[in-house]
């Protein structure tokens, strides 16, 4: 039998549809996405199904989190395919608002999380995490889920959302989920479709470098020399153009001079291949 999923385009309609299940005490899980779904997104749904009775997914390419020279206009979109995939894994409702539905007038309220938003992608993409925090808070207000599921693929985003939820007492449990990878280690991402075959091949250097970093951390090597080695290993791929390579303390993303035993280190990479900027990371408990 074909599974179907309910597609809802307006805030008012989604709130109305959630009223009865909420009254019945059904646990609501929420999976926010920008669509063009892949196994990474579907793994969040599978996790949500374990904790919740009803799963809401949003598909919304949020203009607030894209910079002026970024890929908002060409971000990949395929709603029909997304709805089928969402149905196949048992999503109950897919919320697909237009930009005008989400932002009918110029947004004057901006959620800005200091500290964790500042390094890594915060430095390379000014305003990005304000856009993320603002849309995530808005979506949480609309859906009012019991649980919300985020991928560790965007580890800094998880840190930003967790900080925001704590600071603003948002009544939701944030559940971070592991990174899903292709067979050759490349982290799944909607942006991988931008890569040409040669870029795609060289992009495996990200995962290889992260594994190398993990080995070196386990071996007790100095952070600076680990970082240098990762930079060299990425630069060995001719099409790779490094945005950042950093080893930071998790979850506060503070600079580290050295590591203590038991400390969690986030090894985070952002690398351009042609016009495509890829990010990846690994959490290592030393
Ligand atoms: P996006 O559509 O890229 O905004 O991603 C929506 C959600 O899926 C975010 O919480 C991402 O961290 C998560 N996600 C994206 N790619 C992956 C992946 N490869 N593994 C796990 N989660 C992912």
């Amino acid at each position: 039998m074909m599974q179907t999923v309910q597609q809802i385009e307006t805030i008012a309609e989604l709130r109305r549809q959630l009223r009865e299940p909420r009254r019945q005490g059904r646990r609501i899980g929420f999976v926010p996405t920008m669509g063009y779904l892949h196994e990474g997104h579907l793994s969040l749904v599978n996790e949500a199904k374990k904790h919740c009775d009803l799963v809401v997914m949003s598909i919304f390419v949020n203009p607030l989190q894209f910079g002026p020279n970024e890929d908002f206009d060409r971000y990949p979109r395929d709603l029909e395919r997304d709805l089928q995939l969402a149905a196949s894994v048992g999503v109950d409702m897919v919320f697909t608002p237009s930009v005008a539905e989400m932002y009918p007038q110029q947004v004057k309220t901006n959620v800005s999380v200091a500290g964790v938003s500042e390094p890594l992608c915060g430095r390379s993409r000014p305003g990005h995490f304000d856009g993320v925090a603002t849309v995530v808070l808005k979506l949480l207000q609309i859906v009012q889920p019991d649980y919300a599921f985020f991928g560790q693929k965007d580890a800094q985003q998880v840190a930003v959302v967790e900080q925001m939820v704590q600071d603003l007492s948002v009544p939701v449990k944030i559940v971070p989920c592991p990174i899903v990878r292709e067979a050759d280690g490349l982290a799944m991402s909607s942006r991988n479709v931008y890569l040409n075959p040669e870029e795609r091949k060289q992009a495996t250097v990200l995962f290889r470098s992260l594994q190398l970093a993990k080995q070196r951390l386990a071996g007790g090597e100095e952070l600076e020399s680990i970082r240098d080695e990762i930079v060299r290993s990425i630069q060995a791929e001719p099409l790779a153009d490094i945005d950042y390579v950093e080893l930071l303390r998790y979850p506060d993303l503070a600079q580290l001079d050295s590591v203590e035993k038991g400390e969690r280190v986030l090894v985070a990479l952002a690398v351009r291949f042609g016009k495509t900027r890829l990010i990846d990371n690994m959490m290592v408990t030393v």
Side-chain angles (χ1 to χ4, degrees):
M1 202 187 72
M2 267 279 282
Q3 300 247 33
T4 55
V5 59
Q6 199 180 354
Q7 186 195 350
I8 297 169
E9 295 183 305
T10 68
I11 296 168
E13 177 64 9
L14 182 62
R15 286 199 165 130
R16 205 176 63 74
Q17 292 289 343
L18 287 170
R19 209 173 294 144
E20 185 56 22
R22 182 171 294 114
R23 200 191 58 76
Q24 293 171 354
R26 294 176 71 194
R27 272 168 310 187
I28 298 170
F30 179 45
V31 178
T33 82
M34 300 201 297
Y36 213 73
L37 302 180
H38 52 66
E39 292 291 329
H41 299 114
L42 305 185
S43 75
L44 304 184
V45 175
N46 288 330
E47 190 60 26
K49 304 271 299 173
K50 290 187 206 158
H51 298 258
C52 305
D53 308 305
L54 190 154
V55 178
V56 181
M57 171 186 276
S58 62
I59 297 179
F60 179 61
V61 184
N62 172 37
L64 296 188
Q65 72 192 65
F66 287 78
N69 297 315
E70 294 183 358
D71 56 348
F72 175 73
D73 289 322
R74 62 183 190 110
Y75 195 83
R77 293 164 168 92
D78 188 344
L79 185 58
E80 280 315 308
R81 181 173 159 277
D82 286 351
L83 292 174
Q84 281 173 21
L85 282 170
S88 74
V89 288
V91 172
D92 298 281
M93 299 177 190
V94 180
F95 179 47
T96 57
S98 64
V99 172
E101 174 68 13
M102 287 290 277
Y103 307 122
Q105 50 185 16
Q106 204 201 337
V107 178
K108 301 282 178 63
T109 305
N110 187 35
V111 182
S112 188
V113 180
V116 287
S117 293
E118 289 160 22
L120 307 176
C121 293
R123 194 165 297 137
S124 330
R125 303 182 67 187
H128 169 67
F129 286 115
D130 288 10
V132 168
T134 304
V135 80
V136 170
L137 182 60
K138 185 172 170 94
L139 289 166
L140 291 172
Q141 299 282 22
I142 294 168
V143 180
Q144 297 183 33
D146 300 284
Y147 295 81
F149 299 82
F150 290 85
Q152 276 292 134
K153 162 83 191 331
D154 301 276
Q156 189 174 17
Q157 173 169 281
V158 173
V160 168
V161 169
E162 282 186 323
Q163 182 77 46
M164 174 187 78
V165 160
Q166 254 195 2
D167 288 348
L168 300 181
S169 303
V170 185
V172 65
K173 169 99 182 81
I174 301 300
V175 183
C177 303
I179 302 177
V180 178
R181 298 178 179 283
E182 302 284 358
D184 64 6
L186 181 68
M188 291 199 182
S189 163
S190 307
R191 290 189 169 100
N192 291 347
V193 295
Y194 297 149
L195 299 168
N196 70 33
E198 190 49 40
E199 292 166 346
R200 171 66 186 80
K201 203 161 88 192
Q202 295 189 19
T204 57
V205 72
L206 271 69
F207 184 56
R208 283 184 275 122
S209 303
L210 291 171
Q211 286 176 306
L212 186 69
K214 186 179 180 176
Q215 274 176 23
R216 297 295 186 260
L217 280 164
E221 252 184 64
E222 297 273 332
L223 293 175
E224 203 44 48
S225 85
I226 299 175
R227 190 180 170 279
D228 290 346
E229 192 180 355
I230 301 177
V231 167
R232 281 196 304 275
S233 97
I234 297 173
Q235 283 171 341
E237 298 295 345
L239 300 176
D241 174 19
I242 295 176
D243 179 357
Y244 62 70
V245 171
E246 296 212 43
L247 291 90
L248 299 177
R249 189 168 68 198
Y250 198 83
D252 65 356
L253 306 186
Q255 288 285 343
L256 278 169
D257 295 323
S258 59
V259 282
E260 312 274 304
K261 214 170 163 223
E263 198 148 52
R264 277 193 296 171
V265 177
L266 180 72
V267 187
L269 314 176
V271 179
R272 274 199 185 74
F273 291 86
K275 279 192 194 158
T276 310
R277 181 175 173 281
L278 300 180
I279 58 170
D280 199 352
N281 70 83
M282 195 176 278
M283 195 87 76
V284 183
T285 305
V286 179

